[in-house]
Short mmCIF file of all heavy atoms in Angstrom, two decimals:
data_model
loop_
_atom_site.label_atom_id
_atom_site.label_comp_id
_atom_site.label_asym_id
_atom_site.label_seq_id
_atom_site.Cartn_x
_atom_site.Cartn_y
_atom_site.Cartn_z
N MET A 1 -75.80 43.55 -26.32
CA MET A 1 -77.11 44.16 -26.18
C MET A 1 -77.35 44.96 -24.94
O MET A 1 -77.17 44.41 -23.86
CB MET A 1 -78.23 43.01 -26.26
CG MET A 1 -78.37 42.36 -27.55
SD MET A 1 -79.56 41.02 -27.55
CE MET A 1 -79.38 40.39 -29.21
N GLY A 2 -77.63 46.23 -25.03
CA GLY A 2 -77.86 47.04 -23.88
C GLY A 2 -76.60 47.74 -23.41
O GLY A 2 -76.70 48.60 -22.47
N LEU A 3 -75.54 47.22 -23.91
CA LEU A 3 -74.22 47.90 -23.34
C LEU A 3 -73.83 49.16 -23.99
O LEU A 3 -73.04 50.03 -23.51
CB LEU A 3 -73.05 46.83 -23.44
CG LEU A 3 -72.99 45.85 -22.32
CD1 LEU A 3 -71.69 45.11 -22.47
CD2 LEU A 3 -73.14 46.48 -21.01
N GLY A 4 -74.23 49.40 -25.32
CA GLY A 4 -73.77 50.49 -26.07
C GLY A 4 -74.08 50.49 -27.56
O GLY A 4 -74.24 51.44 -28.17
N VAL A 5 -74.33 49.33 -27.97
CA VAL A 5 -74.66 49.11 -29.36
C VAL A 5 -76.08 49.58 -29.67
O VAL A 5 -76.99 49.33 -28.86
CB VAL A 5 -74.55 47.65 -29.91
CG1 VAL A 5 -75.07 47.42 -31.25
CG2 VAL A 5 -73.03 47.24 -29.79
N THR A 6 -76.28 50.29 -30.79
CA THR A 6 -77.61 50.90 -31.06
C THR A 6 -78.26 50.37 -32.37
O THR A 6 -79.49 50.52 -32.58
CB THR A 6 -77.59 52.27 -31.08
OG1 THR A 6 -76.63 52.80 -32.01
CG2 THR A 6 -77.21 52.97 -29.73
N GLN A 7 -77.48 49.70 -33.14
CA GLN A 7 -77.97 49.24 -34.45
C GLN A 7 -77.41 47.88 -34.74
O GLN A 7 -76.21 47.59 -34.52
CB GLN A 7 -77.64 50.11 -35.65
CG GLN A 7 -78.15 51.54 -35.53
CD GLN A 7 -77.70 52.38 -36.57
OE1 GLN A 7 -77.33 51.90 -37.64
NE2 GLN A 7 -77.88 53.81 -36.42
N MET A 8 -78.24 46.91 -35.20
CA MET A 8 -77.75 45.64 -35.54
C MET A 8 -78.45 45.04 -36.86
O MET A 8 -79.73 45.40 -37.07
CB MET A 8 -78.08 44.71 -34.40
CG MET A 8 -77.10 44.66 -33.25
SD MET A 8 -77.45 43.48 -31.92
CE MET A 8 -76.00 43.66 -31.02
N SER A 9 -77.73 44.23 -37.58
CA SER A 9 -78.34 43.64 -38.69
C SER A 9 -78.74 42.19 -38.18
O SER A 9 -78.38 41.69 -37.13
CB SER A 9 -77.46 43.47 -39.91
OG SER A 9 -76.10 42.86 -39.45
N ALA A 10 -79.62 41.61 -39.06
CA ALA A 10 -80.16 40.19 -38.60
C ALA A 10 -80.41 39.46 -39.99
O ALA A 10 -80.88 40.09 -40.95
CB ALA A 10 -81.36 40.32 -37.73
N PHE A 11 -80.08 38.13 -39.89
CA PHE A 11 -80.40 37.19 -41.02
C PHE A 11 -79.79 37.82 -42.35
O PHE A 11 -80.43 37.63 -43.34
CB PHE A 11 -81.84 37.13 -41.19
CG PHE A 11 -82.44 35.74 -41.82
CD1 PHE A 11 -81.99 34.55 -41.38
CD2 PHE A 11 -83.19 35.86 -43.02
CE1 PHE A 11 -82.39 33.40 -42.02
CE2 PHE A 11 -83.58 34.73 -43.59
CZ PHE A 11 -83.15 33.56 -43.20
N SER A 12 -78.58 38.30 -42.16
CA SER A 12 -78.03 38.94 -43.38
C SER A 12 -77.43 37.91 -44.40
O SER A 12 -77.08 36.79 -44.12
CB SER A 12 -76.82 39.73 -42.95
OG SER A 12 -77.21 40.78 -42.04
N SER A 13 -77.45 38.38 -45.69
CA SER A 13 -76.83 37.68 -46.77
C SER A 13 -75.85 38.55 -47.42
O SER A 13 -76.12 39.67 -47.67
CB SER A 13 -77.89 37.15 -47.73
OG SER A 13 -77.21 36.61 -48.86
N THR A 14 -74.68 38.00 -47.74
CA THR A 14 -73.67 38.80 -48.42
C THR A 14 -73.52 38.30 -49.89
O THR A 14 -72.57 38.64 -50.62
CB THR A 14 -72.28 38.69 -47.81
OG1 THR A 14 -71.70 37.41 -47.89
CG2 THR A 14 -72.34 39.12 -46.31
N HIS A 15 -74.53 37.67 -50.34
CA HIS A 15 -74.65 37.18 -51.77
C HIS A 15 -75.67 37.81 -52.48
O HIS A 15 -76.78 38.09 -51.92
CB HIS A 15 -74.94 35.67 -51.68
CG HIS A 15 -75.37 35.14 -53.08
ND1 HIS A 15 -74.37 34.74 -54.02
CD2 HIS A 15 -76.54 34.79 -53.71
CE1 HIS A 15 -75.11 34.29 -55.09
NE2 HIS A 15 -76.34 34.31 -54.88
N PRO A 16 -75.37 38.43 -53.65
CA PRO A 16 -76.41 39.19 -54.34
C PRO A 16 -77.53 38.28 -54.82
O PRO A 16 -77.48 37.20 -55.31
CB PRO A 16 -75.71 39.58 -55.65
CG PRO A 16 -74.26 39.67 -55.24
CD PRO A 16 -73.97 38.54 -54.38
N GLY A 17 -78.75 38.55 -54.34
CA GLY A 17 -79.98 37.76 -54.53
C GLY A 17 -80.05 36.77 -53.42
O GLY A 17 -80.84 35.79 -53.60
N GLY A 18 -79.59 37.05 -52.23
CA GLY A 18 -79.52 35.99 -51.16
C GLY A 18 -80.82 35.98 -50.28
O GLY A 18 -80.73 35.24 -49.20
N TYR A 19 -81.74 36.86 -50.47
CA TYR A 19 -82.88 36.81 -49.52
C TYR A 19 -84.01 36.17 -50.15
O TYR A 19 -84.57 35.26 -49.55
CB TYR A 19 -83.24 38.32 -49.25
CG TYR A 19 -82.34 39.05 -48.34
CD1 TYR A 19 -81.31 39.86 -48.87
CD2 TYR A 19 -82.36 38.79 -46.96
CE1 TYR A 19 -80.43 40.45 -48.01
CE2 TYR A 19 -81.46 39.46 -46.13
CZ TYR A 19 -80.56 40.30 -46.66
OH TYR A 19 -79.59 40.96 -45.79
N ALA A 20 -84.32 36.40 -51.40
CA ALA A 20 -85.51 35.65 -52.14
C ALA A 20 -85.00 34.24 -52.35
O ALA A 20 -85.74 33.37 -52.47
CB ALA A 20 -85.88 36.44 -53.40
N ASP A 21 -83.68 33.99 -52.48
CA ASP A 21 -83.17 32.71 -52.72
C ASP A 21 -81.79 32.57 -51.93
O ASP A 21 -80.81 32.87 -52.44
CB ASP A 21 -82.85 32.50 -54.29
CG ASP A 21 -82.30 31.13 -54.57
OD1 ASP A 21 -82.43 30.26 -53.74
OD2 ASP A 21 -81.67 30.95 -55.67
N ARG A 22 -81.97 32.12 -50.67
CA ARG A 22 -80.80 32.03 -49.84
C ARG A 22 -79.71 31.02 -50.40
O ARG A 22 -79.99 30.02 -50.86
CB ARG A 22 -81.22 31.37 -48.49
CG ARG A 22 -82.19 32.12 -47.65
CD ARG A 22 -81.66 33.51 -47.24
NE ARG A 22 -80.64 33.36 -46.14
CZ ARG A 22 -80.27 34.39 -45.43
NH1 ARG A 22 -80.81 35.69 -45.70
NH2 ARG A 22 -79.43 34.26 -44.48
N ALA A 23 -78.52 31.70 -50.65
CA ALA A 23 -77.42 30.99 -51.27
C ALA A 23 -76.14 31.41 -50.64
O ALA A 23 -76.08 32.38 -50.01
CB ALA A 23 -77.41 31.37 -52.83
N GLU A 24 -75.13 30.74 -50.96
CA GLU A 24 -73.81 30.88 -50.37
C GLU A 24 -72.81 31.31 -51.42
O GLU A 24 -71.83 32.07 -51.06
CB GLU A 24 -73.21 29.70 -49.53
CG GLU A 24 -74.16 29.22 -48.44
CD GLU A 24 -73.74 28.03 -47.70
OE1 GLU A 24 -72.74 27.50 -48.14
OE2 GLU A 24 -74.35 27.66 -46.66
N SER A 25 -72.83 30.91 -52.60
CA SER A 25 -71.85 31.11 -53.57
C SER A 25 -71.73 32.64 -53.99
O SER A 25 -72.82 33.25 -54.11
CB SER A 25 -72.05 30.36 -54.92
OG SER A 25 -71.06 30.66 -55.94
N GLY A 26 -70.54 33.26 -54.07
CA GLY A 26 -70.48 34.57 -54.32
C GLY A 26 -70.47 35.48 -53.24
O GLY A 26 -70.66 36.74 -53.37
N GLU A 27 -70.36 35.00 -51.99
CA GLU A 27 -70.46 35.85 -50.82
C GLU A 27 -69.27 36.64 -50.57
O GLU A 27 -68.08 36.25 -51.07
CB GLU A 27 -70.80 34.98 -49.56
CG GLU A 27 -69.79 33.98 -49.18
CD GLU A 27 -70.20 33.09 -48.06
OE1 GLU A 27 -71.32 33.19 -47.63
OE2 GLU A 27 -69.32 32.35 -47.67
N GLN A 28 -69.30 37.76 -49.90
CA GLN A 28 -68.11 38.60 -49.57
C GLN A 28 -67.37 37.98 -48.43
O GLN A 28 -66.11 38.03 -48.41
CB GLN A 28 -68.49 40.07 -49.32
CG GLN A 28 -67.33 40.90 -49.11
CD GLN A 28 -67.74 42.32 -48.87
OE1 GLN A 28 -68.73 42.60 -48.24
NE2 GLN A 28 -66.90 43.29 -49.26
N PHE A 29 -68.07 37.55 -47.41
CA PHE A 29 -67.39 37.03 -46.31
C PHE A 29 -68.48 36.10 -45.59
O PHE A 29 -69.68 36.07 -45.88
CB PHE A 29 -66.87 37.95 -45.25
CG PHE A 29 -67.91 38.95 -44.81
CD1 PHE A 29 -68.78 38.69 -43.73
CD2 PHE A 29 -68.07 40.22 -45.38
CE1 PHE A 29 -69.71 39.53 -43.35
CE2 PHE A 29 -68.96 41.10 -44.99
CZ PHE A 29 -69.90 40.82 -43.98
N MET A 30 -68.08 35.28 -44.74
CA MET A 30 -68.95 34.26 -43.94
C MET A 30 -69.64 35.01 -42.75
O MET A 30 -68.85 35.64 -41.93
CB MET A 30 -68.22 33.00 -43.49
CG MET A 30 -67.72 32.25 -44.62
SD MET A 30 -66.51 30.90 -44.12
CE MET A 30 -67.68 29.98 -43.19
N ILE A 31 -70.91 34.98 -42.64
CA ILE A 31 -71.48 35.50 -41.51
C ILE A 31 -71.48 34.42 -40.31
O ILE A 31 -71.21 33.28 -40.54
CB ILE A 31 -72.96 35.84 -41.75
CG1 ILE A 31 -73.84 34.64 -42.07
CG2 ILE A 31 -73.02 36.86 -42.78
CD1 ILE A 31 -75.32 35.06 -42.16
N ASP A 32 -71.71 34.92 -39.08
CA ASP A 32 -71.69 34.03 -37.96
C ASP A 32 -73.10 33.83 -37.30
O ASP A 32 -73.44 32.67 -36.99
CB ASP A 32 -70.62 34.47 -36.93
CG ASP A 32 -70.17 33.48 -35.99
OD1 ASP A 32 -70.97 32.57 -35.70
OD2 ASP A 32 -69.03 33.53 -35.52
N ASP A 33 -73.73 34.84 -37.01
CA ASP A 33 -74.98 34.90 -36.28
C ASP A 33 -76.07 34.72 -37.46
O ASP A 33 -76.44 35.63 -38.13
CB ASP A 33 -75.25 36.14 -35.49
CG ASP A 33 -76.50 36.08 -34.72
OD1 ASP A 33 -77.26 35.13 -34.88
OD2 ASP A 33 -76.73 37.02 -33.88
N SER A 34 -76.74 33.54 -37.49
CA SER A 34 -77.67 33.11 -38.62
C SER A 34 -79.20 33.19 -38.12
O SER A 34 -80.01 32.80 -38.85
CB SER A 34 -77.33 31.98 -39.31
OG SER A 34 -77.30 30.87 -38.40
N ARG A 35 -79.47 33.79 -36.92
CA ARG A 35 -80.80 33.64 -36.43
C ARG A 35 -81.70 34.49 -37.34
O ARG A 35 -81.33 35.56 -38.01
CB ARG A 35 -80.81 34.37 -35.08
CG ARG A 35 -80.39 33.34 -33.84
CD ARG A 35 -80.28 34.13 -32.62
NE ARG A 35 -79.20 35.18 -32.62
CZ ARG A 35 -78.90 35.89 -31.48
NH1 ARG A 35 -79.64 35.78 -30.40
NH2 ARG A 35 -77.81 36.66 -31.50
N THR A 36 -83.00 33.94 -37.39
CA THR A 36 -83.89 34.69 -38.20
C THR A 36 -84.32 35.97 -37.60
O THR A 36 -84.09 36.18 -36.39
CB THR A 36 -85.32 33.82 -38.27
OG1 THR A 36 -85.83 33.75 -37.03
CG2 THR A 36 -84.89 32.45 -38.97
N PRO A 37 -84.89 36.92 -38.20
CA PRO A 37 -85.34 38.18 -37.75
C PRO A 37 -86.18 37.97 -36.45
O PRO A 37 -86.04 38.71 -35.42
CB PRO A 37 -86.07 38.98 -38.73
CG PRO A 37 -85.43 38.36 -39.98
CD PRO A 37 -85.16 36.93 -39.68
N ALA A 38 -87.18 37.08 -36.50
CA ALA A 38 -88.11 36.81 -35.44
C ALA A 38 -87.27 36.38 -34.19
O ALA A 38 -87.55 36.70 -33.09
CB ALA A 38 -89.13 35.80 -35.84
N GLU A 39 -86.37 35.45 -34.35
CA GLU A 39 -85.57 34.88 -33.28
C GLU A 39 -84.70 35.99 -32.72
O GLU A 39 -84.56 35.96 -31.50
CB GLU A 39 -84.67 33.81 -33.82
CG GLU A 39 -85.34 32.44 -34.22
CD GLU A 39 -84.51 31.42 -34.93
OE1 GLU A 39 -83.48 31.89 -35.52
OE2 GLU A 39 -84.95 30.27 -34.92
N PHE A 40 -84.13 36.82 -33.47
CA PHE A 40 -83.26 37.91 -33.07
C PHE A 40 -84.20 38.88 -32.30
O PHE A 40 -83.73 39.39 -31.23
CB PHE A 40 -82.49 38.62 -34.25
CG PHE A 40 -81.37 39.50 -33.67
CD1 PHE A 40 -80.31 39.02 -33.04
CD2 PHE A 40 -81.51 40.81 -33.89
CE1 PHE A 40 -79.31 39.84 -32.60
CE2 PHE A 40 -80.58 41.74 -33.46
CZ PHE A 40 -79.41 41.21 -32.80
#
């Protein structure tokens, strides 16, 4: 943050339908930073 990056995602889901119903099955890869948008 502040060093050069200008765009970031937050609270991402790589599973189709993963926002209205947070799920893990069918994901493309595992995410690491799981902070909520407000926390981020």
Side-chain angles (χ1 to χ4, degrees):
M1 291 176 181
L3 280 189
V5 173
T6 59
Q7 297 178 22
M8 286 182 163
S9 55
F11 203 56
S12 301
S13 170
T14 67
H15 167 80
Y19 289 97
D21 180 19
R22 298 294 287 192
E24 297 179 359
S25 178
E27 64 186 3
Q28 186 181 27
F29 56 84
M30 297 171 63
I31 66 170
D32 199 331
D33 187 354
S34 58
R35 282 175 289 184
T36 66
E39 290 170 338
F40 191 67

